Amino acid sequence: QVLVVESGGGVVQPGTSLRLSCGTSGFTFSGFGMHWVRQTPGKGLEWVAGISYDGSQKRYLDSVKGRLTISRDNSKSTVYLEMNSLRAEDTAVYYCAKGYDAGGNWHVDSWGRGTLVTVST
Amino acid sequence: DIVMTQSPDSLAVSLGERATINCRSSQSLFYSNNNKNHLAWYQQKPGQPPKLLIYWSSTRESGVPDRFSGGGSETDFTLTISGLQAEDVAVYFCHQYYTTPWTFGQGTKVEIK
């Protein structure tokens, strides 16, 4: 059974940093791409970043390029989202999701329960 | 970016009746290299993450009841629930993975009439 569990969310001030972690089990982590998708009541579901099975390919939503960085540690079956220079518009529930393929080019097939990030003064 | 537009925003259907959700993309999602439409459907219930129902526009995910079916091609797609059950009350999203940034429809809320 695939399990995806996010952690690291919280309330932070604008301009500060946060690191989200996503632990996984139940599948061969090093064989699949992984993604972060966020959700807000106003903007709905928004794909944020994706990483290939070996970390060699990373793709980002334009509005987060240079501020958010996706990475992975295959020895720990964990994917990360480093979030810097946070803005109010980054406030959302952040979901970690398992890709269907190694490259992270195709849909996601399993989601975690999400972690809430609130950027506010 | 590819814009995904769903219709209607909400619909109420009697138990056992058919529910049909439409999704239109601003450009074709058909990829000739693999002969597939890069379109998925997800179901989200309150307080839960999205759950994959359909991918490649019409392939049902393992374990998903066969009352859920997907159709369409290129820019116009449908999700049909044949014989609505009480547990199908949820918000449904279409999603394109043809190109990044991946994008989602705004969601369609399905309720019981």
Side-chain angles (χ1 to χ4, degrees), chain B residues 11-112:
Chain B
L11 76 161
V13 176
S14 300
L15 287 172
E17 296 300 304
R18 173 176 296 186
T20 300
I21 300 169
N22 301 295
C23 175
R24 176 165 288 177
S25 58
S26 60
Q27 67 181 73
S28 176
L29 305 182
F30 183 78
Y31 193 41
S32 56
N33 281 17
N34 62 4
N35 236 30
K36 294 181 185 296
N37 290 284
H38 289 219
L39 186 284
W41 288 95
Y42 295 91
Q43 175 195 65
Q44 187 175 32
K45 297 181 179 180
Q48 296 185 20
K51 172 190 173 184
L52 177 65
L53 297 176
I54 302 284
Y55 57 98
W56 300 132
S57 72
S58 61
T59 301
R60 198 178 302 113
E61 172 71 335
S62 175
V64 173
D66 60 7
R67 63 180 180 274
F68 291 92
S69 62
S73 185
E74 298 196 19
T75 61
D76 289 280
F77 302 90
T78 57
L79 174 69
T80 301
I81 310 172
S82 303
L84 189 76
Q85 303 296 305
E87 60 264 32
D88 300 335
V89 168
V91 178
Y92 294 83
F93 297 93
C94 60
H95 159 54
Q96 70 80 15
Y97 49 99
Y98 180 85
T99 187
T100 55
W102 289 357
T103 49
F104 295 81
Q106 80 278 16
T108 295
K109 187 174 185 179
V110 173
E111 299 173 307
I112 305 295

Side-chain angles (χ1 to χ4, degrees), chain A:
Chain A
Q1 179 190 357
V2 173
L3 198 60
V4 176
V5 180
E6 305 91 340
S7 60
V11 180
V12 296
Q13 294 193 335
T16 61
S17 300
L18 202 60
R19 187 174 86 156
L20 306 183
S21 299
C22 170
T24 71
S25 62
F27 66 101
T28 304
F29 180 77
S30 60
F32 293 90
M34 296 294 295
H35 299 265
W36 288 95
V37 178
R38 63 188 181 188
Q39 186 172 32
T40 63
K43 296 187 75 174
L45 287 164
E46 187 174 54
W47 172 84
V48 174
I51 188 168
S52 60
Y53 71 104
D54 61 356
S56 64
Q57 296 182 52
K58 302 177 184 181
R59 287 162 292 173
Y60 297 94
L61 182 67
D62 279 352
S63 63
V64 308
K65 278 181 186 174
R67 300 188 302 116
L68 274 57
T69 302
I70 188 171
S71 62
R72 64 190 295 157
D73 184 337
N74 285 350
S75 69
K76 296 181 179 179
S77 298
T78 300
V79 62
Y80 304 98
L81 187 66
E82 190 74 40
M83 310 172 75
N84 297 316
S85 303
L86 282 163
R87 306 168 180 170
E89 54 263 36
D90 295 317
T91 295
V93 173
Y94 283 75
Y95 293 106
C96 175
K98 170 187 169 290
Y100 181 75
D101 67 309
N105 299 307
W106 297 338
H107 61 281
V108 296
D109 56 15
S110 296
W111 301 61
R113 298 196 68 84
T115 187
L116 177 62
V117 173
T118 303
V119 184
S120 174
T121 55

